[in-house]
Amino acid sequence: MSETLSKRTFDRVLLKISGEALMGDQGYGLHPPTVQRIAREVQSVYDLGVEICMVIGGGNIFRGLQGSAQGMERTTADYMGMLATVMNALAMQSALEELGIHTRVISAITMNEVAEPYIRRRAVRHLEKKRVCIFAAGTGNPYFTTDTAATLRASEMDCQAIFKGTKVDGVYDKDPTKHDDAKRYEKITYDEVLQKHLGVMDASAIALARDNDLPIVVFSLDEPGGFKGILAGEGTYTIVRG
């Protein structure tokens, strides 16, 4: 992969977004217009012929670590967080299918009435048939975040990159919303992210991406057309790679 994305053709990517991205200006839950806006961003890339997987966090509904901090048993709290990701995945599926995009929600926890179980070969086949696959319920195990789940699924699906949609346009040396002198990195290595504790993804996810040579592209999901623009080699972003 070159230092920029301008000459890179992507055939299959994974989009990772937080649950908080779906709540808009609300402090909790789902904001349907925001869900629909993100679905249109996905559609713009889908229309380019790119195969798309998604992993959505659950922090807009329930966050396992916070539940654990409040005295709840950690494993129980994490399972509740996984169920929250399923709710978000179903909301995104509904929004995408309203746009005419065939979508499958694939859950790491078996719940046949609402989602398919995760079977790798079946998921790959869905992608080959140009269906968007939304992987829900994390890895199916407590103590693992949706960042780690995203890196795991991207590796299993043989994606060429993870696109991490955030509220800022890349990775900074400090919080740009609090520091005017924050510096944005155009590119940075996995080891630098870990050593500087930059919080792009959790350490397990970064280590897994490094071990599988899987680039992470961090960009602003709030920028209209940003996802499609980056695949065309435009826009502002940070590449995390070896």
Side-chain angles (χ1 to χ4, degrees), residues 98-195:
E98 283 182 9
L99 298 173
I101 298 172
H102 294 294
T103 308
R104 296 291 185 272
V105 173
I106 301 174
S107 174
I109 297 175
T110 303
M111 47 184 79
N112 292 329
E113 288 76 12
V114 297
E116 291 186 7
Y118 177 70
I119 300 171
R120 179 187 171 275
R121 290 174 66 89
R122 182 186 293 176
V124 169
R125 187 63 179 141
H126 285 319
L127 293 171
E128 290 171 348
K129 291 184 176 181
K130 307 305 179 184
R131 297 165 181 158
V132 172
C133 289
I134 307 176
F135 297 111
T139 66
N141 301 288
Y143 296 94
F144 290 93
T145 67
T146 51
D147 281 343
T148 301
T151 310
L152 175 63
R153 296 296 183 238
S155 300
E156 290 177 309
M157 295 298 106
D158 198 25
C159 292
Q160 292 156 320
I162 296 174
F163 282 73
K164 174 79 181 283
T166 69
K167 291 192 174 294
V168 294
D169 58 357
V171 179
Y172 286 78
D173 59 351
K174 48 191 168 184
D175 190 342
T177 64
K178 298 178 181 177
H179 303 276
D180 292 337
D181 60 342
K183 172 190 172 185
R184 183 181 62 82
Y185 299 97
E186 289 192 5
K187 57 183 181 294
I188 190 168
T189 67
Y190 306 110
D191 288 338
E192 286 176 312
V193 169
L194 293 172
Q195 291 164 5

Side-chain angles (χ1 to χ4, degrees), residues 9-28:
T9 299
F10 289 94
D11 300 312
R12 182 181 296 169
V13 301
L14 185 141
L15 174 63
K16 166 64 172 71
I17 61 177
S18 67
E20 288 89 345
L22 303 184
M23 66 187 186
D25 294 330
Q26 302 173 157
Y28 177 83

